[in-house]
């Protein structure tokens, strides 16, 4: 139980900075800082009786060993000054003896206190459960990694949402839908026998930011995932993740009873179908006793679902919920539905479909709602379902992978996007009814709460396809734990852990990150424009995309540019999507003059000479935004290039190259968009703004049949 750290501190070879270590690099901190920390961290008093306890202790040994360094030796037993004491009242007699309150910490919370122990300075990490203690251990490591003082700690943390989950859109052939970081991290073929080190490192990284659930496979699911062979493979992964407090979920294909069960129907009211799902759930729970449940995409973009049999989404969800209920499982049913046949504004369809079902779902069903009503655009107003389903726990779905924000090469820190949505005020129960309060259950008293992020993780050495994209995984986890944290603070934390605690590095890097998403909005879809990307793969500009199987998969459907003007009229005079929001919000969005300018063309179709807040015409304002986006990328490049020599050469070089790609592509976006919209506005560019480098037909002629991540 009493472990002398000094004995474990073996010098480590200087590792190459290839990004594999993520924010858990644990590189030695400056001697003076280490000196200040050592007296309270000379011994580690941590139980190691359970897998979670061992994982916690191992992480502390690894983290403290790395950060505080092997030389000089910390101390010997006789001169030990203080200790880090970790555990629960049940697992640790020292924690029990300290009598720190833990009852109010729930299943995953923790307390970190500077205390006196045996007459010496010490730090206690106390929790109700092993998982709570583990979260506390990661918090303490974060304090050390970010150079915080530890001599007067009094921290209490309890996660604000219960389920903090990654959704992998990974197929069984290892293709990742909308994945830009290589193949799937799951090497299905070699599972269940070969469990490479990545799986445990994946779990460590997730645990370090509080993520406690993962859906292994794509929502466009293969029924094969539910066959015995693949259940066994999933169970092997679940065994690796379990010590880190992470539970496995699976996406389920609604028609699986037909495809792998030999039934004639998947009708959710059919007794044989119901029995099939029950037996399937029993089978899964036998292999994975703590299986979380099913995530389902049904009757959406060609996926099968209950409506194929004239049943509702509630019928489908409840049938599966009944199957997992005896095991304590849940069903997460996605609200991302829009019909081929419905001519209504796509932005309205999920609300129309789901609001009438409020109150009709079993108590172990959650409905998962994307942050906005269209599809993970660089900017969308919050989804009108938030606040509109008081009786149904709504789970937030963000997209961490950057399907619409430049794939892996563009630097776009998504913290501000997530924060903007979470802080948006639904007015569902009066002022202050933020989306965060819907999602964390405060507003409607939800029994189940959670946040899901579509993962950006793959087999690339740096996990996420680019170094900065790691920050998007990180910020998702931190905000899922506490949706009211500030994305700037999180960016700073991440930068300190990932690059350096040197203020001359932290300050410019955080500034780059904080401005980066707005830069993307500017050069891709300013002023509320949306869904103008290349067809199918969503790479590069495609405002001219029209025709094909369905109107709402084209760009012209969304921008509606004509000689008269541009934008989608969703006001009461148009599609009336505004009326899906609570009254004060609806009234604001219904009035162009009161609509925040960043959502202007989302809600309004306006003439080219409409006067914007700057006093410029709408056309000029668009050009200014497009150009500003490119300028911002140029600034980011300059900032980054100036850091050469201060960041390790490997990461510096790759990021510098990616920023160069981003500048080139930002320019491409700007030029193509301006060339295209100018055919409608028929106006000159404002003075001082350069014309597009090529004629429109050049941009239209570009094709990318092999762009990554296509579905
Ligand atoms: O964003 C769109 C993507 C599809 C995805 C779908 C969804 C998994 O383009 O690739 O399919 O959303 O969220 O279901």
């Amino acid at each position: 139980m009493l472990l002398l750290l000094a004995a474990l501190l073996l010098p480590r070879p200087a590792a190459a900075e290839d990004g594999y270590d993520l924010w858990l690099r644990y590189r030695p901190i400056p001697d003076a800082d280490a000196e200040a920390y050592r007296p309270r961290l000379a011994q580690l008093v941590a139980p190691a009786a359970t897998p979670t306890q061992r994982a916690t202790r191992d992480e502390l040994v690894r983290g403290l060993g790395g950060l505080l360094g092997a030389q000089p030796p910390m101390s010997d037993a006789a001169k030990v000054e203080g200790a880090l004491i970790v555990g629960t009242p049940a697992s640790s007699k020292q924690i029990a003896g300290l009598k720190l309150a833990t009852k109010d910490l729930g299943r995953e919370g923790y307390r970190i206190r500077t205390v006196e122990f045996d007459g010496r300075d010490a730090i206690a990490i106390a929790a109700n459960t092993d998982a709570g203690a583990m979260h506390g251990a990661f918090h303490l490591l974060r304090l050390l990694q970010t150079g915080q003082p530890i001599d007067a700690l009094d921290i209490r943390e309890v996660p604000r949402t219960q389920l903090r989950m990654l959704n992998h859109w990974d197929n069984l052939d290892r293709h990742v839908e909308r994945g830009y970081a290589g193949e799937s991290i799951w090497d299905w073929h070699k599972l269940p026998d070969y469990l490479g080190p990545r799986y445990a490192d994946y779990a460590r990284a997730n645990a370090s930011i509080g993520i406690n659930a993962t859906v292994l496979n794509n929502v466009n699911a293969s029924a094969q995932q539910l066959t015995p062979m693949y259940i066994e493979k999933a169970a092997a992964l679940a065994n690796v993740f379990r010590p880190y407090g992470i539970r496995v979920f699976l996406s389920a294909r609604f028609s699986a009873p037909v495809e792998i069960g030999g039934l004639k129907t998947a009708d959710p009211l059919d007794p044989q179908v119901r029995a099939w799902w029950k037996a399937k759930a029993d089978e899964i729970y036998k292999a994975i006793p703590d299986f979380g449940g099913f995530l389902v995409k049904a009757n959406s973009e060609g996926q099968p679902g209950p409506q194929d049999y004239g049943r509702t989404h509630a019928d489908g969800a409840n049938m599966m919920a009944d199957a997992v209920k005896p095991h304590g499982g849940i069903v997460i049913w996605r609200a991302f539905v829009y019909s081929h046949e419905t001519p209504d504004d796509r932005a309205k369809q999920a609300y129309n479909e789901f609001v009438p079902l409020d109150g009709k779902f079993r108590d172990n069903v959650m409905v998962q709602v994307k942050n906005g009503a269209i599809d993970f655009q660089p900017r969308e107003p919050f989804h009108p379902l938030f606040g509109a389903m008081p009786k149904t726990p709504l789970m937030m779905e963000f997209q961490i992978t950057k399907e619409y924000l430049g794939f892996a090469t563009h630097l776009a820190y998504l913290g501000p996007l997530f924060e903007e949505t979470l802080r948006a005020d639904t007015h569902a129960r009066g002022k202050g009814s933020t989306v965060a309060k819907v999602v964390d259950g405060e507003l409607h008293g939800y029994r189940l709460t959670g946040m899901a992020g579509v993962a950006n993780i793959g087999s690339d050495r740096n996990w996420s396809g680019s170094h900065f994209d790691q920050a998007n995984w990180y910020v998702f986890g931190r905000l899922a734990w506490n949706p009211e944290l500030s994305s700037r603070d999180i960016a700073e934390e991440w930068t300190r852990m990932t690059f350096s605690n040197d203020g001359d590095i932290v300050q410019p890097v955080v500034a780059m990150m904080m401005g980066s998403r707005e830069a993307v909005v500017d050069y891709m879809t300013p002023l509320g424009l949306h869904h103008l990307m290349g067809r199918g793969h969503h790479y590069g500009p495609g405002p001219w995309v029209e025709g094909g199987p369905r109107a709402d998969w084209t760009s012209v459907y969304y921008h509606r540019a004509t000689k008269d003007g541009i934008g989608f009229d969703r006001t009461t005079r148009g599609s009336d999507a505004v009326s899906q929001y609570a009254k004060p919000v609806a009234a604001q969005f219904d009035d162009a003059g009161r609509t925040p300018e960043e959502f202007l063309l989302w809600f309004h179709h306006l003439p080219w000479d409409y006067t914007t807040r700057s006093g410029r015409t709408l056309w000029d304002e668009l050009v200014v935004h497009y150009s500003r986006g490119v300028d911002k990328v140029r600034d980011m490049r300059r900032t980054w290039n100036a850091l050469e020599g201060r960041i390790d050469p490997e990461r510096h070089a790759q990021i510098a190259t990616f920023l160069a790609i981003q500048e080139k592509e930002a320019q491409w976006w700007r030029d193509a968009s301006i060339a295209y919209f100018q055919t409608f506005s028929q106006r000159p560019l404002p003075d001082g703004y350069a014309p597009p480098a090529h004629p429109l037909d050049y941009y239209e002629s570009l094709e990318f049949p092999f762009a990554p991540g296509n579905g």
Side-chain angles (χ1 to χ4, degrees), residues 169 177-178 218-220 297 300-301 303 334 336 338 346 370 374-377 397 399 403-404 454 531 536 538 709-711:
W169 285 357
E177 184 154 348
R178 312 311 176 181
N218 193 350
V219 288
N220 291 334
K297 171 176 177 179
S300 161
E301 300 185 331
Q303 294 300 309
R334 292 177 88 230
F336 179 66
Y338 57 102
R346 172 170 158 188
K370 290 188 182 182
I374 295 297
D375 195 12
F376 299 138
Q377 295 303 294
E397 178 174 329
Q399 193 181 45
E403 173 180 357
Y404 295 100
V454 178
H531 217 301
H538 301 155
N710 210 349

Side-chain angles (χ1 to χ4, degrees), residues 312-315 352-361 389 392:
T312 68
H313 284 286
D315 294 330
N352 288 344
E353 195 78 56
F354 278 86
V355 168
L357 298 176
D358 193 25
K360 301 221 160 80
F361 292 98
M389 293 190 71
T392 312

Side-chain angles (χ1 to χ4, degrees), residues 332-380:
I332 301 168
W333 197 265
R334 292 177 88 230
F336 179 66
V337 301
Y338 57 102
S339 153
H340 199 17
E341 285 80 39
T342 317
D344 206 355
D345 177 0
R346 172 170 158 188
K348 291 171 63 182
Q349 295 186 33
Y351 178 104
N352 288 344
E353 195 78 56
F354 278 86
V355 168
L357 298 176
D358 193 25
K360 301 221 160 80
F361 292 98
R362 297 281 192 270
D363 65 2
N364 59 331
V365 174
M366 303 185 78
V367 170
Q368 184 167 299
V369 181
K370 290 188 182 182
N371 57 289
I374 295 297
D375 195 12
F376 299 138
Q377 295 303 294
R379 171 167 278 127
E380 296 193 36

